[in-house]
């Protein structure tokens, strides 16, 4: 039996071409079988289909590349929650742009690893240029810097780690109840004291509440604010919170994993006023940036703030190699083996340009406002509030929380629509997180029609 071909090298492209045709065909047939945003039948049905398709996971004799790809890609696609379907709108789970997915294919074929320059010569240079550019977009300072992360969770963990290294293990982390769950979890992971969670009854962190907390909390303190909450997409009052941090001698970290990309839209950038006053920033391009997972970022106003991440391993960054001019990449992450996620982001930014990226952001935000307007005008629904970014909370009326939760699960089981859930004002709400720039008013009408059919039964 011949040795299987490789994805890279002189023959890699020729080996991949027929396999890609098989993959693309299976993507198409799998989507046709699914016929919606989610496979119908619920978890047991989906699991049974996967088991039947897999059969013997490790057979005595292989079936060959084309059969394996055709069967499993079809099965994966038929059983996917497809964020490219306009009715798949539960989470901060974006449909990746085709250009970004194609760029990721090149990365998979070449398999660079950003733990040493000799594993990723061009990829390491590209990441350096990309992170410098993005950091400068976020911070108007002489020497800003940014690191690529797996997402908001890792970026938040790094932010707390760097703050701990500056201030020691008695650092108190203060955040609103609206903060992402990764904040208190990172404090636990890093051995910090339990975080101080402040109530956010209106969905955002009230400056008066923070002022009172900082008055009674001895330093050192790191305040974490949010620009784009997971439940409602709300943005904390960043300038006022930054003023309070300055007044009390606290540091500010802003988790802008969801809302941070608004900075690339002249129309929506004012919502992020005060963002550059943070000691560190979290931002995700695999949310409102249309990248395949993973594509996170941690940005800081000065590269010296990243110094605690410096690390040395002779086989990767020997001192004499570094002194001879080989770039030292280990201090750019806590991970060792690391994909060049910068490549797909750089390819997308080059493809779209500033104006193209802004158009996608503006169009997606506008779609969320259209959905809110439709629901607000509909006698069968109650709108919680008009969206700040692209998240819309709403409820059928009349209903109660139990029936609402059952309705959502029914839609999931039938494969009709994928909607999230959030608690606000003491009640449960359906959550539509619109991240698909192809969503039309007709798609929104279809979503409402599905809900009308379910609520009127």
């Amino acid at each position: 039996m011949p040795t299987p071909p490789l994805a890279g090298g002189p023959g890699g492209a020729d080996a991949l071409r027929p396999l890609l045709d098989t993959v693309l065909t299976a993507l198409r047939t799998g989507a046709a079988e699914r016929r919606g945003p989610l496979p119908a039948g619920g978890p047991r049905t989906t699991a049974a289909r996967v088991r039947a398709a897999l059969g013997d996971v490790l057979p005595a004799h292989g079936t060959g590349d084309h059969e394996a790809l055709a069967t499993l890609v079809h099965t994966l696609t038929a059983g996917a929650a497809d964020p490219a379907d306009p009715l798949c709108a539960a989470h901060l789970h974006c449909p990746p742009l085709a250009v970004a997915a194609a760029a990721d294919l090149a990365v998979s074929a070449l398999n660079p690893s950003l733990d040493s320059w000799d594993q990723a010569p061009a990829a390491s240079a590209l990441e350096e240029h990309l992170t410098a550019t993005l950091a400068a977009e976020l911070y108007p300072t002489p020497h800003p810097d940014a690191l690529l992360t797996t997402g908001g969770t890792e970026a938040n963990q790094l932010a707390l780690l760097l703050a701990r290294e500056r201030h020691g293990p008695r650092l108190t982390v203060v955040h609103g109840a609206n903060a992402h769950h990764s904040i208190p979890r990172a404090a636990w992971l890093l051995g910090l004291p339990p975080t101080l969670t402040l109530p956010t009854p209106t969905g955002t962190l009230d400056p008066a509440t923070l002022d009172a907390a900082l008055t009674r909390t001895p330093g050192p303190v790191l305040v974490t604010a949010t620009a784009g909450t997971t439940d409602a997409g709300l943005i904390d009052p960043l300038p006022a919170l930054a003023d309070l941090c300055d007044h009390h001698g606290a540091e500010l970290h802003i988790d802008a994993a969801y809302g941070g990309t608004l900075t690339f839209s002249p129309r929506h950038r004012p919502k992020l006023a005060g963002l550059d006053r943070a000691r560190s920033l979290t931002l995700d391009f695999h949310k409102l940036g249309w990248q395949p997972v993973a594509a996170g970022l941690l940005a800081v106003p000065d590269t010296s703030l990243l110094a605690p991440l410096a690390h040395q391993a002779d086989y990767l960054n020997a001192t004499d190699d570094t002194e001879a001019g080989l770039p030292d990449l280990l201090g750019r992450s806590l991970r060792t083996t690391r994909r060049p996620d910068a490549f797909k982001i750089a390819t997308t930014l080059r493809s779209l340009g500033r104006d193209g990226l802004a158009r996608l952001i503006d169009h997606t935000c506008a779609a969320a406002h259209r959905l809110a307007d439709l629901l607000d005008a509909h006698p069968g629904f109650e709108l919680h509030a008009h969206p700040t970014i692209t998240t819309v909370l709403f409820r059928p009326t009349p209903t109660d929380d139990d029936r609402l939760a059952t309705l959502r699960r029914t839609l999931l089981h039938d494969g009709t629509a994928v909607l999230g859930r959030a608690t606000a004002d003491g009640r449960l709400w359906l959550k539509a997180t619109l991240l698909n720039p192809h969503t039309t008013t007709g798609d929104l009408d279809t979503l409402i029609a599905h809900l009308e059919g379910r609520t009127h039964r």
Side-chain angles (χ1 to χ4, degrees):
M1 185 174 181
T3 302
L6 301 176
D14 292 334
L16 280 171
R17 195 175 305 278
L19 297 177
L20 290 180
D21 186 64
T22 298
V23 167
L24 295 175
T25 298
L27 285 170
R28 183 170 58 251
T29 61
E33 179 181 313
R34 188 183 62 246
R35 294 185 300 174
L38 199 74
R44 290 185 179 179
T45 299
T46 299
R49 290 171 181 159
V50 170
R51 283 195 300 270
L54 276 174
D56 187 350
V57 176
L58 185 61
H61 303 286
T63 61
D65 294 345
H66 289 279
E67 190 284 333
L69 284 169
T71 299
L72 297 189
V73 173
H74 176 98
T75 302
L76 179 70
T77 308
D82 186 1
D85 189 297
L87 302 190
C88 187
H91 303 287
L92 289 165
H93 177 202
C94 75
L97 296 173
V99 67
D104 227 17
L105 170 63
V107 165
S108 292
L110 296 168
N111 209 28
S113 180
L114 285 162
D115 46 320
S116 65
W117 181 87
D118 56 357
Q119 297 177 81
S124 60
L126 184 143
E127 181 180 272
E128 179 184 0
H129 286 298
L130 177 78
T131 52
T133 298
L134 294 177
E137 289 287 322
L138 298 166
Y139 284 111
T141 54
H143 304 290
D145 205 349
L147 304 176
L148 268 294
T149 71
T150 55
T153 294
E154 184 189 354
N156 286 336
Q157 288 174 350
L158 282 173
L160 267 64
L161 170 63
L162 294 171
R164 186 195 69 180
E165 294 306 290
R166 289 193 296 272
H167 300 291
R170 300 187 68 179
L171 174 72
T172 299
V173 178
V174 178
H175 61 86
N178 63 344
H180 192 260
H181 63 83
S182 62
I183 298 294
R185 196 177 192 195
W188 163 76
L189 181 68
L190 294 167
L192 294 171
T195 62
L196 176 57
T197 305
L198 305 180
T200 54
T202 64
T204 58
L205 183 54
D206 178 57
T209 302
L210 179 62
D211 188 24
L214 292 179
T215 299
R216 66 175 183 267
T217 303
V221 171
L222 176 72
V223 174
T224 68
T226 307
T229 60
T230 53
D231 277 351
L234 302 179
I235 298 174
D236 284 337
L238 305 179
L241 300 182
D243 287 345
L244 285 170
C245 288
D246 289 345
H247 176 72
H248 289 278
E251 287 189 353
L252 177 64
H253 168 67
I254 298 177
D255 178 358
Y258 177 13
T261 51
L262 295 180
T263 194
F264 300 102
S265 162
R267 179 179 302 174
H268 294 284
R269 186 181 301 131
K271 296 176 182 178
L272 298 178
L275 196 71
D276 60 352
R277 297 178 64 184
R279 197 64 174 262
S280 53
L281 287 173
T282 289
L283 188 149
D284 271 1
F285 282 90
H286 60 231
K287 293 182 171 63
L288 197 60
W290 302 286
Q291 299 299 295
V293 173
L297 191 81
L298 176 73
V300 293
D302 193 277
T303 190
S304 63
L305 293 169
L306 301 177
L309 299 179
H311 186 64
Q312 203 270 326
D314 281 345
Y315 77 104
L316 295 173
N317 61 344
T319 302
D320 58 320
D321 278 348
T322 302
E323 291 174 350
L326 293 184
D328 180 356
L329 304 180
L330 272 188
R332 305 296 295 175
S333 177
L334 291 182
R335 293 170 283 153
T336 304
T337 302
R338 184 164 64 87
R339 280 172 64 87
D341 290 315
F343 184 73
K344 61 196 174 193
I345 302 172
T347 303
T348 300
L349 296 181
R350 181 180 177 88
S351 170
L352 295 179
R354 288 180 180 274
D355 56 347
L357 183 57
R359 279 195 300 272
L360 286 183
I361 292 168
D362 293 349
H363 180 85
T364 308
C365 290
H369 280 276
R370 284 196 297 273
L371 176 59
D373 289 340
L374 290 170
L375 292 166
D376 200 24
H378 196 297
F381 296 94
E382 177 185 355
L383 178 69
H384 181 263
H386 278 80
T388 301
I389 308 177
T390 65
T391 300
V392 181
L393 302 186
F394 64 98
R395 293 166 57 98
T397 182
T399 193
D400 57 40
D401 287 359
D402 289 340
R403 283 189 291 175
L404 189 70
T406 300
L407 167 63
R408 175 181 172 272
R409 288 190 292 270
T410 300
L411 294 170
L412 294 177
H413 188 276
D414 293 348
T416 303
V418 188
L419 294 173
R421 54 186 287 166
T423 300
D425 302 334
R427 293 187 292 168
L428 188 64
W429 301 80
L430 292 175
K431 178 175 70 170
T433 307
L434 300 190
L435 296 177
N436 189 335
H438 289 265
T439 298
T440 66
T441 301
D443 296 323
L444 302 177
D445 289 336
T446 299
L447 173 61
I448 291 175
H450 281 311
L451 290 166
E452 286 175 325
R454 289 294 177 186
T455 56
H456 293 166
R457 286 184 177 182

